[in-house]
Amino acid sequence: MTRAQLDKQPHEVAAMFDRTAKRYDLVNDVISLGQVRLWRKAVAQAVDAGPGEIVLDLGAGTGTSTDSFTSLGARAIASDFSLGMLATGVRRRGGNSLTGQGVPFIAGDALNLPFADDAFDAVTISVALRNVHDTEQALREMLRVTKPGGKLVILEFSHVTVKSFDLVYREYLMKLLPKVAKVFGSNDDSYEYLAESIRDWHDQPALAKIIQRAGWERVAWRNLNLGIVAIHRGYKPQG
Ligand SMILES: C[S@@+](CC[C@H](N)C(=O)[O-])C[C@H]1O[C@@H](n2cnc3c(N)ncnc32)[C@H](O)[C@@H]1O
């Protein structure tokens, strides 16, 4: 378990996201310099879910990550344990948590999902696995609720692969990012935690090993923006 995960208990993580919920998407756009929109498109392409398929977006927050799947015709469910993030997403879609623009918002803990076995064609989690207290248990739960042969797609901050750029990026991450986030409305330690949790997170091969250990097969990854983020993919064994 990483240092940042050790420092914050699950209820503290949920409370932190409750506090940042209203400004979350704006701050995300600003601190990623708009790149988050491209990352979401790449995730939707990796999930590649068509009409009739059902996708679980875990740690979905306000549901912005979920929208990229419904725009391709799939059905998608947004699930998260921060009621503040879910409520913000529901409000933006006109108020009904079960029918708001076709995306149901379901409160649930990634470590103990409120869904049946083999329920989803694909399970995905965007910039949220890092925040879950027990990475491997979350990956096992995702495996349980995915249909045999179904897909896992993870978007997560990762490790920059070009050394000279890594030095610049780390300066931005640890010094500038928390300051920029504060200007746009975050007035607590949430974005210091964000920066630390990114710095302390597994690199690409280490995360791939954890995914395999949890039972997924054919695990592979693709770097975006020189490894600032990576998309990991895996499949649930057929039988
Ligand atoms: C950085 S946000 C990502 C939101 C969204 N996926 C996106 O791409 O914008 C991380 C989310 O993970 C959620 N989260 C963290 N641990 C969780 C857990 N154990 N169960 C469910 N959600 C969790 C937080 O509440 C938060 O909304």
Side-chain angles (χ1 to χ4, degrees):
M1 196 174 288
T2 65
R3 205 182 73 215
Q5 282 172 310
L6 281 172
D7 286 346
K8 280 208 194 299
Q9 292 302 305
H11 67 277
E12 294 175 304
V13 174
M16 182 183 76
F17 281 103
D18 285 349
R19 285 195 299 276
T20 56
K22 286 194 186 122
R23 296 279 175 132
Y24 171 80
D25 285 294
L26 170 68
V27 174
N28 235 0
D29 266 337
V30 173
I31 62 180
S32 74
L33 311 175
Q35 294 300 298
V36 65
R37 291 170 187 247
L38 302 177
W39 301 342
R40 295 197 194 293
K41 278 196 188 137
V43 172
Q45 277 167 3
V47 171
D48 193 27
E53 296 199 304
I54 178 154
V55 179
L56 171 64
D57 185 21
L58 200 52
T62 60
T64 310
S65 49
T66 323
D67 291 334
S68 31
F69 311 116
T70 51
S71 61
L72 293 179
R75 281 188 300 146
I77 288 179
S79 185
D80 200 285
F81 74 177
S82 159
L83 299 183
M85 292 287 268
L86 292 175
T88 300
V90 169
R91 221 176 294 119
R92 283 191 199 144
R93 286 163 178 77
N96 188 321
S97 67
L98 283 176
T99 58
Q101 286 197 1
V103 174
F105 281 74
I106 311 283
D109 184 351
L111 299 177
N112 190 10
L113 289 171
F115 304 110
D117 295 354
D118 306 339
F120 299 98
D121 295 287
V123 176
T124 176
I125 181 163
S126 289
V127 288
L129 187 59
R130 209 183 65 254
N131 304 121
V132 178
H133 202 65
D134 184 338
T135 310
E136 201 170 322
Q137 168 61 13
L139 288 163
R140 278 194 297 268
E141 266 298 85
M142 289 186 236
L143 186 77
R144 181 184 66 76
V145 301
T146 303
K147 291 178 185 170
K151 205 182 269 181
L152 167 76
V153 176
I154 300 169
L155 170 72
E156 192 48 270
F157 286 96
S158 201
H159 286 233
V160 167
T161 49
V162 176
K163 221 175 175 101
S164 51
F165 177 60
D166 191 37
L167 294 174
V168 180
Y169 174 62
R170 275 174 187 258
E171 282 293 298
Y172 170 72
L173 192 62
M174 300 313 293
K175 299 204 177 129
L176 202 58
L177 182 149
K179 288 194 184 114
V180 174
K182 267 183 191 146
V183 171
F184 284 86
S186 165
N187 50 14
D188 61 11
D189 68 349
S190 308
Y191 287 87
E192 270 103 13
Y193 164 81
L194 173 82
E196 273 180 27
S197 67
I198 292 172
R199 191 192 53 192
D200 288 355
W201 182 243
H202 311 286
D203 66 14
Q204 291 85 333
L207 179 58
K209 276 199 189 115
I210 299 171
I211 297 169
Q212 270 162 349
R213 232 174 25 230
W216 296 91
E217 65 179 23
R218 288 185 281 148
V219 176
W221 72 85
R222 172 188 165 207
N223 290 327
L224 301 177
N225 296 97
L226 302 177
I228 288 180
V229 296
I231 294 178
H232 280 73
R233 204 158 53 176
Y235 294 85
K236 179 165 174 172
Q238 279 291 354

